[in-house]
Amino acid sequence: VVGQDGNVGIKTGDTKPIELYIKGKFDATGKSSGVGLELDAEPVGGKGWRIVSTGRDAGQGAEKLVFYDQSMAYTALTIQGAGSGAGHVGIGTTNPTGRLDIIASFDWPTPTLAVRGAIGHPNIQIKSDNGGRDWRFISCGSGCGPTGALRIFDNSGGGDRMVIMPDGNVGI
């Protein structure tokens, strides 16, 4: 259905106030695995992707938004929509068990998590919002301490708790 506003509805019977709306349905047996969109650039040297909003009968489980890499046959990203895992994000998994769950499908030397920065000093913050400390793991470039060092910094207490130098020496 194409509305007067130019919006498109597929299998909906009407349009919604968004440009494209696709509605899933039950099959002849009463099952619904969800509804999706397939983007296939493989014939022109790209990748094939599938984006699926899962239904109750999906193999990945219901109420998830799944990004699937068809050329490598794996789930690249999952966003959990309901239940105790609501809001959980999974990279490389359809069943994230934490707020961010990363399952590495490659071995060394490919990193499981890469934090990089072209400007400044890339860091990872670990902080509890209920009275815990604010910790930073900082990879030092020039101007943040010894270049090439890894600093474990207590941002709540304002100081380094440990510094691992590029030559392997450790300062506490």
Side-chain angles (χ1 to χ4, degrees):
V1 177
V2 179
Q4 292 179 345
D5 55 4
N7 292 346
V8 178
I10 299 174
K11 295 184 182 178
T12 63
D14 63 354
T15 63
K16 297 288 181 186
I18 57 175
E19 288 76 25
L20 177 63
Y21 177 67
I22 304 171
K23 184 175 182 179
K25 67 176 190 171
F26 294 100
D27 66 15
T29 65
K31 293 187 176 190
S32 175
S33 59
V35 63
L37 177 65
E38 188 169 313
L39 308 168
D40 187 1
E42 286 183 17
V44 292
K47 240 183 201 317
W49 291 95
R50 190 177 309 146
I51 304 168
V52 179
S53 177
T54 62
R56 70 173 183 218
D57 300 308
Q60 303 93 338
E63 300 181 1
K64 296 179 182 181
L65 182 61
V66 179
F67 293 78
Y68 184 76
D69 179 340
Q70 295 184 129
S71 61
M72 295 187 66
Y74 80 98
T75 300
L77 178 73
T78 301
I79 301 171
Q80 180 73 38
S84 62
H88 289 186
V89 174
I91 299 174
T93 179
T94 58
N95 294 303
T97 58
R99 296 280 183 213
L100 176 60
D101 191 354
I102 301 172
I103 304 296
S105 57
F106 302 99
D107 201 358
W108 175 263
T110 302
T112 300
L113 174 65
V115 178
R116 300 169 32 172
I119 300 173
H121 313 287
N123 68 85
I124 298 172
Q125 177 185 29
I126 299 175
K127 179 181 180 183
S128 171
D129 287 336
N130 63 353
R133 299 191 83 74
D134 178 0
W135 292 97
R136 306 286 172 102
F137 293 80
I138 306 167
S139 175
C140 289
S142 61
C144 107
T147 300
L150 173 63
R151 295 171 61 191
I152 299 176
F153 187 81
D154 181 350
N155 209 44
S156 300
D160 285 315
R161 297 300 179 231
M162 183 166 64
V163 178
I164 303 172
M165 305 299 282
D167 62 6
N169 287 335
V170 177
I172 297 176

